[in-house]
Amino acid sequence: MKNFASERSQRAAVQLSLQLSPVAAACALFVSALAGSAHAQVATSGAAAEAPMASVTVSGIRRGIEDAISVKKDASSIVEAISAEDIGKLPDVSIAESIARLPGLAAQRVAGRAQVISVRGLSPDFSTTLLNGREQVSTGDNRSVEFDQYPSELLSGVTIYKTPDAGLVGQGLSGTIDMQTVRPLAFGKRTVALNARGEKNSLGSIANAKSTGNRFSASYIDQFADRTIGIALGFAHLESPVLDNETGLYEPWKKDSRPGVPAGTYIMDGIKAVARSGVNKRDGVMGVLQYRPNKNWTSIVDVYASEFRREETANQIEINLSGWNGNNTPAFGYSNASIVGGALASANANGVYPLVRGMYNDRKDKIHAIGWSNTLKLDDWTLFADLNYSKAKRNELSLENNAQLGNGRGTNDGAGNAYLDSAKLTFNTGTYSTIGLGRNYSNPATLFIGPTIYGSGYGKTPRVEDELTGFKLVASAPVPTMLEKFVSGIDAGINYTDRSKKKRQPEGNINLNGTNPVSLNTDFLYGAADLGFAGAGMIPTWNVPAMVAKYMTFKPTDTESYLISKGWDVNEKITTTFVKANLEADLGNVTMRGNVGIQAQHTDQSSDSNYYDGTAPVGQQVKPVHDGKKYTDYLPSMNLAFAFEGQQTLRLAAAKQIARPRVDQLRSALDFGVSDTTFKPGGSGGNAKLDPWRANAFDMSYEKYFDKKAYFAVAAFYKKLNTYIFTQTKDYDFSKFIPGTKARQAIGDYSAPYNGTGGSLKGAELSASLPLNLVTKTLDGFGVQASHTYSDSSITIEDPSGSIGSKIPLPGLSKHTTNLTVYYEKNGFETRINQRKRSDFVGEIGNFSNDRALRYVVGENIIDFQVGYTFGEGTLKGLGLVAQVNNLRNAAYETYTGTRNQQLEYQKYGRTILVGANYKF
């Protein structure tokens, strides 16, 4: 092959991954302008070209970049990748933060951490995540992976497939993210790597939560028995504080009236100021056993386990603004109201009864995965077999305590005077909303828990289990002689997965053991929380579970009529078969390679749940409901890469793609009833008969390489989504539900997820990576990586249960996503600064009901900085010192309804400072 390294000689190459931190559009254009200069410098005369080349060992930042460029250059599909600079040295807390720096990818922060990833403007629902090529379970309600459960220290890299091929099983519609652990026999010798870092958050301690944390990881790689056996073991520990200051407003903003505010003004029903305190703890273990007794047989066992716990308390002061103050006098009303853009901007709220609340949440996640693969070469044939199993569990406890000013006897002072207050409120944009209170809420002796205007408390205990078993068999066959000129190999295979996901959500009131309010027990008090950022002063904080255990009763249940539909089981059995031809040919001065093939996916989806029939006799009101569907999709795909002289590549790709519905949308659970006036049945719930999202995709990419040191790329993509899934209300046949009820007809309204009209998604990407010594030797050691992605879609969705209006843009879609990394590395010293920037988008947030809620999220600009030094000789050889600051700007997270002046949340998580050391030997 003239311009590509032969695929026949590289087919067994190990997939690496690039820690490509994409760059801003302006920088990408700058890099492309420098390309000519760089090319001129690498061009040589004929005599110079024949001169022997010196061998240079590349390490650190440049090694990770060059490994990543090699993956991108050698791939048949359009891919991005990240590669560890060295084992255990991916620089981020979770792998999501590394992935988010790639062209066309963006992260959504959850509680300050990058947790979910959008690929090319589509929400996480449209992508799938693999670990060593195997589909992964998740601890959330859906199938999308929460990446903060995967320690970056245990991964050698990640490859993101933006275009699929027929042999890529478990592929997503927007992209496929494949996380990879090490292969020990790929290492030349025993390797031990240790990593330790201390952490400090700039917000300081809140309540019982420290502002400090730590990270530790250890990796061991070795080879035995004449390099026929290799093992890799890794352990990573994280203990990180949960700290944030935030204000929040009740959803939705709506046109309404209140005393003192004109009718038709956009207002909301409440406001709160929160100082959140807690801790994240995560322990991850990775193990690999690789056996290769000869060049024809390789057997690999992969094991991964992660335990993640997030324990936190939202310490908050909260005011109901709907008019409800416990029917106390004086009645609620506004004064000095200011209206801006049709929405309430500031006012004095009179006759309010503020609550001091402790909202406790304890979430425990466990993930276990094991896979066993075997590769066997038989003359011209290669067989690959893989067996895998993974399981995830989530157990969660949510408790709330409500306290108000009082005297231990009730909501007034005994003379009929309630402990009401006046609050001076401002509803801001781009900063915290503020609450100025007249009374003092810092003295725990004057605060009593329940009964309050919100009762004494409520609790939930959600549980999720996700289990997946899979088997894969692939045969790579020799090519008939007549096809050898264009085809380098033929792959055919079958993959079977059996997945089941279950959710239960018992709930219930938290009631006082007696009838009188209870004072805050001094034994359970933490330090005071400062809500001065919102103008609300100091409030006490306390141990919520201890108060509940001593003074209250909490008996969660899932058998009440309104809770029956919150439990569900969903099962999926998917059989995938495929055939793929690997292409390779010389077309004059152009080298072509790639693949063409077809994948057939047969899906058998079903769900088992219960519903409540209030018309049935007592004891027979809970009834089972089973529903489901079978369907088959045929997914052709083509990837072509044309290599021209001068290390230029033009890639073309076309495919039919699908993404399976959200797991929670496939539930058969429903709330059912019959109208007392029209006798018409109706309901709401899930839809186990949903078809997947289906799309036709077209991609094109031009790439210019300078060996593996630098590259410039421009890409365009277009997806035609034939359908989109969103909640609608349609006629539904309730025949199987109405026997014995008062219904006079079978057809009624049913609100549920349905397949609706789709639309198009299109965009362009510009990316580059350049060590600046290719421009001038004066800048030796400096380098830049940059990318900018533009995405646009004609698709809008509806969310009838939401609060952000109609014709909502695609969740996860930022029109502009920019990444920039500037680095310097020389003589053991290295430093880098990275910027991740995205425009406004619609995010998916879990609300108090543990339901998915859509909100507009203000575009973010996150900057991280790192500096370090690695000793290359002497007694300290292999030791590296590092300091880094994440979220250098203390960038805020802000959400709003469809209009910017109707803020919903404003949160700041502080800067995170880490100092530590790495040691490799």
Side-chain angles (χ1 to χ4, degrees):
M1 307 292 288
K2 294 186 178 70
N3 300 312
F4 275 133
S6 171
E7 183 175 330
R8 293 181 175 92
S9 66
Q10 292 192 0
R11 195 179 304 162
V14 176
Q15 289 184 338
L16 299 171
S17 299
L18 138 148
Q19 183 186 358
L20 179 64
S21 289
V23 102
C27 288
L29 292 171
F30 169 72
V31 172
S32 67
L34 294 176
S37 172
H39 185 267
Q41 291 192 36
V42 298
T44 61
S45 65
E50 295 176 1
M53 297 185 64
S55 175
V56 178
T57 300
V58 178
S59 61
I61 297 172
R62 285 172 52 203
R63 175 181 171 181
I65 292 172
E66 292 188 9
D67 285 347
I69 292 175
S70 294
V71 173
K72 185 176 181 72
K73 181 179 181 180
D74 295 338
S76 296
S77 303
I78 298 176
V79 306
E80 307 294 347
I82 57 175
S83 178
E85 301 155 17
D86 213 335
I87 180 65
K89 284 190 66 178
L90 278 172
D92 298 297
V93 174
S94 81
I95 197 63
E97 292 165 316
S98 298
I99 296 172
R101 297 193 177 108
L102 297 173
L105 280 76
Q108 178 180 324
R109 287 193 293 168
V110 176
R113 298 182 184 274
Q115 187 181 84
V116 294
I117 297 293
S118 296
V119 181
R120 285 183 161 176
L122 288 170
S123 77
D125 297 342
F126 291 90
S127 62
T128 55
T129 301
L130 315 176
L131 180 62
N132 294 318
R134 306 172 179 112
E135 189 172 355
Q136 290 300 288
V137 290
S138 70
T139 57
D141 295 357
N142 190 19
R143 63 181 83 248
S144 58
V145 164
E146 297 177 357
F147 287 95
D148 55 2
Q149 296 174 355
Y150 292 86
S152 59
E153 298 96 330
L154 299 185
L155 299 173
S156 64
V158 183
T159 300
I160 293 88
Y161 295 89
K162 293 181 175 177
T163 62
D165 66 56
L168 183 62
V169 176
Q171 59 187 254
L173 190 151
S174 61
T176 306
I177 301 172
D178 188 11
M179 303 181 292
Q180 299 136 15
T181 56
V182 299
R183 292 296 173 250
L185 293 182
F187 285 71
K189 59 180 181 180
R190 175 188 300 163
T191 301
V192 178
L194 305 175
N195 184 323
R197 296 182 188 181
E199 175 181 341
K200 172 75 173 178
N201 188 287
S202 64
L203 290 181
S205 300
I206 298 177
N208 64 321
K210 299 182 296 183
S211 62
T212 57
N214 61 82
R215 294 172 62 184
F216 172 79
S217 68
S219 300
Y220 169 76
I221 300 170
D222 210 346
Q223 304 81 31
F224 304 93
D226 295 326
R227 296 187 58 82
T228 61
I229 297 175
I231 63 170
L233 300 172
F235 170 77
H237 170 77
L238 166 74
E239 184 172 335
S240 180
V242 174
L243 302 166
D244 82 61
N245 292 328
E246 62 183 89
T247 53
L249 300 164
Y250 288 14
E251 297 182 74
W253 282 78
K254 56 189 176 182
K255 281 188 175 183
D256 207 340
S257 64
R258 297 283 186 275
V261 174
T265 302
Y266 279 100
I267 56 178
M268 89 310 301
D269 288 340
I271 186 171
K272 62 183 178 181
V274 183
R276 193 177 303 274
S277 58
V279 64
N280 285 322
K281 294 182 179 180
R282 181 189 64 204
D283 290 308
V285 178
M286 172 272 295
V288 182
L289 174 62
Q290 186 175 10
Y291 178 55
R292 189 171 61 200
N294 52 60
K295 64 180 181 180
N296 295 323
W297 178 34
T298 300
S299 184
I300 301 175
V301 176
D302 294 296
V303 177
Y304 176 80
S306 174
E307 293 193 4
F308 183 92
R309 182 179 184 184
R310 180 183 177 90
E311 187 178 19
E312 64 177 0
T313 302
N315 310 286
Q316 62 194 58
I317 196 158
E318 188 169 337
I319 303 175
N320 184 291
L321 300 175
S322 70
W324 171 244
N325 67 0
N327 290 324
N328 288 291
T329 55
F332 171 84
Y334 283 115
S335 62
N336 300 323
S338 173
I339 314 299
V340 176
L344 184 63
S346 65
N348 293 330
N350 306 306
V352 297
Y353 205 159
L355 295 93
V356 177
R357 311 185 78 184
M359 312 288 283
Y360 173 84
N361 188 263
D362 185 12
R363 174 171 169 170
K364 300 175 183 178
D365 293 348
K366 293 183 179 181
I367 298 176
H368 297 90
I370 184 170
W372 178 32
S373 67
N374 287 271
T375 304
L376 182 64
K377 295 181 180 179
L378 302 171
D379 296 326
D380 293 332
W381 286 74
T382 299
L383 297 178
F384 174 82
D386 183 83
L387 183 65
N388 61 85
Y389 172 82
S390 59
K391 186 172 184 177
K393 286 187 176 182
R394 178 180 113 214
N395 288 287
E396 196 166 355
L397 171 65
S398 296
L399 302 172
E400 67 177 29
N401 276 173
N402 301 323
Q404 286 181 307
L405 289 177
N407 58 10
R409 296 188 301 274
T411 59
N412 61 66
D413 62 4
N417 301 311
Y419 293 90
L420 300 185
D421 202 350
S422 294
K424 185 176 182 179
L425 308 175
T426 59
F427 307 110
N428 294 320
T429 298
T431 187
Y432 296 108
S433 294
T434 61
I435 307 171
L437 294 164
R439 291 182 179 269
N440 181 3
Y441 295 85
S442 64
N443 185 359
T446 63
L447 291 168
F448 293 81
I449 291 180
T452 70
I453 64 170
Y454 281 7
S456 54
Y458 196 78
K460 301 178 181 182
T461 58
R463 304 189 308 272
V464 172
E465 289 189 13
D466 194 359
E467 193 169 10
L468 188 149
T469 302
F471 174 75
K472 184 178 184 179
L473 181 64
V474 181
S476 298
V479 180
T481 304
M482 61 184 295
L483 299 178
E484 279 189 341
K485 188 175 180 179
F486 296 100
V487 181
S488 61
I490 297 176
D491 301 334
I494 184 171
N495 187 86
Y496 175 79
T497 59
D498 186 345
R499 183 175 191 171
S500 63
K501 190 152 195 161
K502 303 176 182 179
K503 182 180 181 182
R504 302 292 184 268
Q505 187 165 304
E507 303 178 10
N509 289 314
I510 301 175
N511 298 312
L512 287 171
N513 291 331
T515 58
N516 289 327
V518 177
S519 63
L520 293 174
N521 190 314
T522 55
D523 293 337
F524 301 151
L525 288 175
Y526 300 139
D530 186 358
L531 303 181
F533 61 88
M538 308 290 288
I539 61 169
T541 67
W542 63 92
N543 186 330
V544 174
M547 286 293 294
V548 172
K550 186 173 179 65
Y551 299 110
M552 313 179 88
T553 301
F554 175 46
K555 296 180 179 180
T557 178
D558 55 7
T559 60
E560 294 292 335
S561 59
Y562 63 95
L563 297 175
I564 297 298
S565 64
K566 293 192 175 185
W568 44 262
D569 296 1
V570 171
N571 299 279
E572 291 180 327
K573 297 179 180 180
I574 301 173
T575 303
T576 303
T577 56
F578 69 89
V579 60
K580 179 181 72 171
N582 300 303
L583 308 177
E584 189 174 295
D586 288 327
L587 307 174
N589 292 326
V590 178
T591 299
M592 183 273 291
R593 68 175 180 178
N595 53 73
V596 62
I598 189 168
Q599 187 178 102
Q601 285 190 19
H602 177 71
T603 301
D604 180 357
Q605 65 192 32
S606 61
S607 176
D608 291 282
S609 306
N610 293 317
Y611 73 98
Y612 185 85
D613 182 359
T615 65
V618 175
Q620 302 177 30
Q621 295 154 318
V622 179
K623 298 181 178 180
V625 54
H626 173 87
D627 206 354
K629 185 176 184 177
K630 298 179 182 180
Y631 57 86
T632 301
D633 284 281
Y634 297 95
L635 309 174
S637 63
M638 177 190 71
N639 290 278
L640 299 177
F642 300 92
F644 300 89
E645 293 181 351
Q647 300 188 72
Q648 300 178 85
T649 301
L650 177 65
R651 300 181 189 272
L652 302 174
K656 184 176 181 180
Q657 300 173 304
I658 67 168
R660 295 192 295 280
R662 294 172 55 93
V663 177
D664 54 356
Q665 291 176 329
L666 290 173
R667 70 192 188 280
S668 59
L670 77 158
D671 290 311
F672 167 74
V674 179
S675 171
D676 291 329
T677 56
T678 66
F679 305 104
K680 181 180 179 181
S684 63
N687 183 357
K689 292 185 178 295
L690 279 174
D691 286 325
W693 287 288
R694 294 186 173 99
N696 297 318
F698 305 91
D699 292 80
M700 180 170 60
S701 176
Y702 167 79
E703 300 157 9
K704 165 64 179 173
Y705 292 92
F706 305 93
D707 297 324
K708 62 177 182 178
K709 300 181 185 304
Y711 85 95
F712 166 76
V714 58
F717 59 90
Y718 176 85
K719 294 182 186 293
K720 174 63 176 177
L721 275 73
N722 299 318
T723 65
Y724 197 90
I725 299 171
F726 54 91
T727 301
Q728 304 174 65
T729 299
K730 293 188 175 184
D731 287 342
Y732 184 84
D733 186 352
F734 287 94
S735 297
K736 62 182 179 181
F737 300 101
I738 62 175
T741 72
K742 57 191 173 186
R744 296 178 181 175
Q745 62 186 75
I747 304 301
D749 293 335
Y750 186 59
S751 296
Y754 289 99
N755 294 100
T757 303
S760 64
L761 172 69
K762 59 187 177 182
E765 298 169 349
L766 194 60
S767 62
S769 177
L770 179 69
L772 296 183
N773 62 0
L774 292 183
V775 180
T776 171
K777 295 300 182 183
T778 306
L779 296 176
D780 185 42
F782 287 95
V784 62
Q785 295 176 282
S787 76
H788 181 82
T789 301
Y790 171 80
S791 302
D792 194 17
S793 176
S794 64
I795 303 172
T796 59
I797 67 171
E798 302 297 327
D799 185 20
S801 62
S803 63
I804 63 172
S806 60
K807 296 186 177 179
I808 302 167
L810 280 178
L813 176 66
S814 287
K815 282 200 171 185
H816 298 278
T817 304
T818 301
N819 280 278
L820 170 65
T821 298
V822 178
Y823 64 87
Y824 176 80
E825 180 180 43
K826 194 171 184 179
N827 300 325
F829 176 81
E830 61 181 56
T831 185
R832 72 179 116 198
I833 187 166
N834 169 262
Q835 178 191 50
R836 307 193 312 266
K837 190 174 182 180
R838 66 183 302 189
S839 57
D840 291 12
F841 64 98
V842 173
E844 297 177 294
I845 292 95
N847 59 22
F848 177 70
S849 300
N850 286 303
D851 295 327
R852 166 181 174 260
L854 298 179
R855 295 174 186 169
Y856 285 93
V857 181
V858 174
E860 297 181 319
N861 184 1
I862 311 296
I863 296 177
D864 301 326
F865 172 76
Q866 180 175 320
V867 62
Y869 181 80
T870 301
F871 295 90
E873 56 187 11
T875 57
L876 297 179
K877 182 179 180 180
L879 176 65
L881 305 177
V882 63
Q884 64 188 89
V885 183
N886 295 338
N887 193 18
L888 188 65
R889 299 175 55 251
N890 190 15
Y893 173 83
E894 183 177 7
T895 66
Y896 61 99
T897 63
T899 305
R900 274 285 190 98
N901 68 340
Q902 297 175 16
Q903 187 187 75
L904 292 173
E905 297 168 297
Y906 188 88
Q907 304 174 357
K908 283 197 170 185
Y909 307 102
R911 301 171 185 86
T912 300
I913 302 167
L914 298 106
V915 177
N918 311 305
Y919 186 52
K920 176 186 173 185
F921 59 94

